[in-house]
Amino acid sequence: IRNTLVIALGSVAGAGICGTTLAVALSRYRFPGSRILAGLAYLPFTLPPLVGVLAFYYLIGKGGFIARCCEQILGLPDMVIDGPWAILLIHTYSFYVFFYAMVGPALANLDRSQLEAARTLGASRIRVLFRVTLPLLRPSIMGASLLTFMSSCASFSAPYFFADRFPVLSVAIYTERNQNNQSAAITLTVILALISL
Protein backbone atom coordinates (compact mmCIF):
# COMPACT_ATOMS: atom_id res chain seq x y z
CA ILE A 1 0.00 0.00 0.00
CA ARG A 2 2.83 2.38 0.93
CA ASN A 3 4.65 1.74 -2.36
CA THR A 4 1.48 2.33 -4.37
CA LEU A 5 0.84 5.63 -2.58
CA VAL A 6 4.45 6.76 -3.00
CA ILE A 7 4.38 6.00 -6.73
CA ALA A 8 0.98 7.67 -7.18
CA LEU A 9 1.95 10.86 -5.32
CA GLY A 10 5.34 11.00 -7.05
CA SER A 11 3.61 10.57 -10.40
CA VAL A 12 1.26 13.45 -9.62
CA ALA A 13 4.21 15.67 -8.69
CA GLY A 14 6.33 14.74 -11.72
CA ALA A 15 3.50 14.88 -14.25
CA GLY A 16 2.18 18.08 -12.69
CA ILE A 17 5.51 19.88 -12.96
CA CYS A 18 6.18 18.71 -16.53
CA GLY A 19 2.64 19.12 -17.88
CA THR A 20 2.00 22.51 -16.29
CA THR A 21 5.39 23.85 -17.36
CA LEU A 22 4.78 22.69 -20.92
CA ALA A 23 1.28 24.20 -20.90
CA VAL A 24 2.62 27.54 -19.67
CA ALA A 25 5.48 27.54 -22.17
CA LEU A 26 3.29 26.68 -25.16
CA SER A 27 0.36 28.94 -24.26
CA ARG A 28 2.34 32.02 -23.26
CA TYR A 29 5.29 32.00 -25.67
CA ARG A 30 5.62 31.63 -29.43
CA PHE A 31 8.82 30.25 -30.93
CA PRO A 32 9.74 28.32 -34.08
CA GLY A 33 8.17 24.87 -33.91
CA SER A 34 5.83 25.68 -31.01
CA ARG A 35 2.73 24.63 -32.97
CA ILE A 36 4.32 21.29 -33.88
CA LEU A 37 5.41 20.77 -30.27
CA ALA A 38 1.89 21.63 -29.07
CA GLY A 39 0.51 18.89 -31.34
CA LEU A 40 3.14 16.35 -30.30
CA ALA A 41 2.45 17.04 -26.62
CA TYR A 42 -0.77 15.00 -26.95
CA LEU A 43 1.16 11.92 -28.12
CA PRO A 44 0.81 9.96 -24.83
CA PHE A 45 -2.99 9.97 -25.38
CA THR A 46 -2.50 7.96 -28.57
CA LEU A 47 0.10 5.53 -27.25
CA PRO A 48 -1.22 2.32 -25.65
CA PRO A 49 0.26 1.89 -22.15
CA LEU A 50 1.92 -1.45 -22.84
CA VAL A 51 3.58 -0.14 -26.03
CA GLY A 52 4.90 2.89 -24.13
CA VAL A 53 6.32 0.76 -21.33
CA LEU A 54 7.98 -1.61 -23.79
CA ALA A 55 9.50 1.38 -25.60
CA PHE A 56 10.94 2.61 -22.29
CA TYR A 57 12.14 -0.91 -21.49
CA TYR A 58 14.17 -1.03 -24.71
CA LEU A 59 15.40 2.49 -24.07
CA ILE A 60 16.36 2.53 -20.36
CA GLY A 61 16.04 -1.12 -19.24
CA LYS A 62 18.67 -3.83 -18.95
CA GLY A 63 20.38 -4.10 -22.31
CA GLY A 64 18.51 -1.02 -23.52
CA PHE A 65 19.80 1.62 -25.90
CA ILE A 66 20.94 4.11 -23.25
CA ALA A 67 22.62 1.44 -21.12
CA ARG A 68 24.55 0.15 -24.14
CA CYS A 69 25.58 3.64 -25.24
CA CYS A 70 26.82 4.50 -21.74
CA GLU A 71 28.79 1.27 -21.60
CA GLN A 72 30.34 1.46 -25.07
CA ILE A 73 30.90 5.21 -25.42
CA LEU A 74 31.45 6.37 -21.84
CA GLY A 75 32.73 3.10 -20.37
CA LEU A 76 30.09 3.18 -17.61
CA PRO A 77 28.60 -0.28 -17.04
CA ASP A 78 25.22 -0.89 -15.40
CA MET A 79 23.68 2.48 -16.27
CA VAL A 80 20.18 1.08 -15.96
CA ILE A 81 17.19 2.94 -14.57
CA ASP A 82 15.14 0.43 -12.63
CA GLY A 83 12.67 0.17 -9.78
CA PRO A 84 10.60 3.12 -8.56
CA TRP A 85 12.65 5.70 -10.51
CA ALA A 86 11.85 3.98 -13.79
CA ILE A 87 8.17 3.80 -12.86
CA LEU A 88 8.12 7.50 -11.99
CA LEU A 89 9.85 8.37 -15.27
CA ILE A 90 7.32 6.34 -17.28
CA HIS A 91 4.36 7.71 -15.34
CA THR A 92 5.61 11.28 -15.74
CA TYR A 93 5.76 10.80 -19.50
CA SER A 94 2.44 8.94 -19.68
CA PHE A 95 0.42 11.26 -17.41
CA TYR A 96 1.82 14.77 -17.98
CA VAL A 97 -0.69 15.01 -20.82
CA PHE A 98 -3.55 15.23 -18.28
CA PHE A 99 -2.06 18.44 -16.89
CA TYR A 100 -1.18 19.76 -20.32
CA ALA A 101 -4.67 19.09 -21.69
CA MET A 102 -6.43 20.68 -18.70
CA VAL A 103 -4.14 23.55 -17.70
CA GLY A 104 -3.40 24.70 -21.27
CA PRO A 105 -7.00 25.66 -22.14
CA ALA A 106 -7.49 27.15 -18.66
CA LEU A 107 -4.46 29.38 -19.25
CA ALA A 108 -5.75 30.35 -22.70
CA ASN A 109 -9.13 31.37 -21.22
CA LEU A 110 -7.62 33.15 -18.20
CA ASP A 111 -9.00 36.65 -17.64
CA ARG A 112 -5.95 38.83 -18.23
CA SER A 113 -7.68 41.88 -16.78
CA GLN A 114 -7.49 40.34 -13.30
CA LEU A 115 -3.76 39.81 -13.66
CA GLU A 116 -3.26 43.35 -14.94
CA ALA A 117 -5.43 44.77 -12.12
CA ALA A 118 -3.35 42.97 -9.52
CA ARG A 119 -0.09 44.26 -11.06
CA THR A 120 -1.52 47.80 -11.32
CA LEU A 121 -2.47 47.70 -7.63
CA GLY A 122 1.17 46.96 -6.77
CA ALA A 123 1.30 43.18 -6.42
CA SER A 124 4.60 41.55 -7.33
CA ARG A 125 4.78 38.83 -9.98
CA ILE A 126 5.12 36.15 -7.29
CA ARG A 127 2.11 37.49 -5.39
CA VAL A 128 0.05 37.59 -8.61
CA LEU A 129 1.06 34.00 -9.32
CA PHE A 130 0.05 32.68 -5.89
CA ARG A 131 -2.95 34.93 -5.16
CA VAL A 132 -4.55 35.30 -8.62
CA THR A 133 -3.24 32.85 -11.23
CA LEU A 134 -3.07 29.63 -9.20
CA PRO A 135 -6.56 30.06 -7.64
CA LEU A 136 -7.96 30.52 -11.16
CA LEU A 137 -6.15 27.36 -12.32
CA ARG A 138 -7.00 25.32 -9.22
CA PRO A 139 -9.96 23.38 -10.75
CA SER A 140 -7.95 22.22 -13.76
CA ILE A 141 -4.91 21.35 -11.63
CA MET A 142 -7.05 19.40 -9.15
CA GLY A 143 -8.84 17.52 -11.94
CA ALA A 144 -5.56 16.57 -13.60
CA SER A 145 -4.11 15.55 -10.23
CA LEU A 146 -7.03 13.23 -9.51
CA LEU A 147 -6.83 11.64 -12.96
CA THR A 148 -3.09 11.13 -12.60
CA PHE A 149 -3.41 9.70 -9.08
CA MET A 150 -6.08 7.16 -10.08
CA SER A 151 -4.29 6.20 -13.31
CA SER A 152 -1.03 5.74 -11.44
CA CYS A 153 -2.68 3.54 -8.80
CA ALA A 154 -4.16 1.38 -11.56
CA SER A 155 -0.95 1.22 -13.60
CA PHE A 156 0.16 -2.35 -14.17
CA SER A 157 2.67 -2.61 -17.01
CA ALA A 158 5.33 -0.18 -15.70
CA PRO A 159 5.54 -1.78 -12.22
CA TYR A 160 5.38 -5.26 -13.76
CA PHE A 161 8.39 -4.66 -16.04
CA PHE A 162 10.54 -2.39 -13.86
CA ALA A 163 9.90 -3.14 -10.18
CA ASP A 164 10.69 -6.72 -9.25
CA ARG A 165 11.65 -5.76 -5.69
CA PHE A 166 9.19 -2.87 -5.30
CA PRO A 167 5.74 -4.44 -4.93
CA VAL A 168 2.65 -2.39 -5.76
CA LEU A 169 -1.00 -3.34 -5.43
CA SER A 170 -1.82 -3.81 -9.12
CA VAL A 171 0.97 -6.35 -9.62
CA ALA A 172 0.20 -8.01 -6.27
CA ILE A 173 -3.42 -8.51 -7.38
CA TYR A 174 -2.23 -10.12 -10.60
CA THR A 175 0.22 -12.37 -8.72
CA GLU A 176 -2.37 -13.50 -6.18
CA ARG A 177 -4.88 -14.20 -8.95
CA ASN A 178 -2.34 -16.30 -10.87
CA GLN A 179 -1.60 -18.31 -7.73
CA ASN A 180 -5.35 -18.93 -7.38
CA ASN A 181 -5.57 -17.01 -4.08
CA GLN A 182 -9.00 -15.55 -4.78
CA SER A 183 -9.63 -14.09 -1.33
CA ALA A 184 -6.27 -12.29 -1.24
CA ALA A 185 -6.79 -10.95 -4.77
CA ILE A 186 -10.26 -9.65 -3.91
CA THR A 187 -9.03 -8.07 -0.68
CA LEU A 188 -6.19 -6.27 -2.48
CA THR A 189 -8.62 -5.14 -5.19
CA VAL A 190 -10.94 -3.60 -2.60
CA ILE A 191 -7.97 -1.85 -0.95
CA LEU A 192 -6.82 -0.47 -4.31
CA ALA A 193 -10.34 0.73 -5.10
CA LEU A 194 -10.59 2.46 -1.72
CA ILE A 195 -7.21 4.17 -2.20
CA SER A 196 -8.24 5.37 -5.66
CA LEU A 197 -11.57 6.68 -4.37
Side-chain angles (χ1 to χ4, degrees):
I1 294 171
R2 182 185 68 242
N3 292 347
T4 302
L5 286 173
V6 166
I7 289 294
L9 293 173
S11 299
V12 169
I17 291 168
C18 291
T20 305
T21 303
L22 189 61
V24 169
L26 293 177
S27 68
R28 294 288 174 117
Y29 304 106
R30 294 285 174 243
F31 50 88
S34 63
R35 292 178 65 108
I36 294 171
L37 187 59
L40 290 175
Y42 287 103
L43 192 62
F45 271 149
T46 64
L47 193 64
L50 181 60
V51 173
V53 171
L54 283 175
F56 271 100
Y57 182 78
Y58 289 120
L59 187 66
I60 63 172
K62 296 174 183 159
F65 179 75
I66 292 178
R68 287 183 185 180
C69 285
C70 287
E71 185 175 351
Q72 292 178 359
I73 296 172
L74 303 175
L76 300 171
D78 299 329
M79 289 297 293
V80 175
I81 301 174
D82 204 12
W85 295 111
I87 297 170
L88 287 176
L89 177 67
I90 294 166
H91 283 184
T92 298
Y93 171 75
S94 300
F95 302 139
Y96 82 85
V97 71
F98 294 143
F99 286 90
Y100 177 74
M102 295 178 90
V103 173
L107 279 170
N109 296 328
L110 202 63
D111 186 8
R112 304 254 186 241
S113 63
Q114 292 182 357
L115 304 177
E116 291 171 5
R119 291 288 289 152
T120 303
L121 292 172
S124 66
R125 289 183 185 270
I126 299 295
R127 189 170 177 88
V128 169
L129 174 69
F130 284 105
R131 299 296 299 265
V132 180
T133 307
L134 287 179
L136 291 173
L137 296 177
R138 186 177 298 136
S140 58
I141 291 173
M142 289 300 296
S145 297
L146 290 172
L147 275 172
T148 302
F149 183 85
M150 290 189 303
S151 298
S152 178
C153 283
S155 175
F156 173 77
S157 51
Y160 184 75
F161 279 101
F162 285 97
D164 294 336
R165 293 177 299 278
F166 192 79
V168 295
L169 283 174
S170 57
V171 177
I173 292 166
Y174 173 76
T175 304
E176 293 297 335
R177 178 70 177 93
N178 276 347
Q179 294 174 356
N180 212 16
N181 296 333
Q182 302 295 338
S183 58
I186 291 171
T187 303
L188 292 173
T189 302
V190 170
I191 291 171
L192 181 59
L194 291 175
I195 289 172
S196 295
L197 290 175

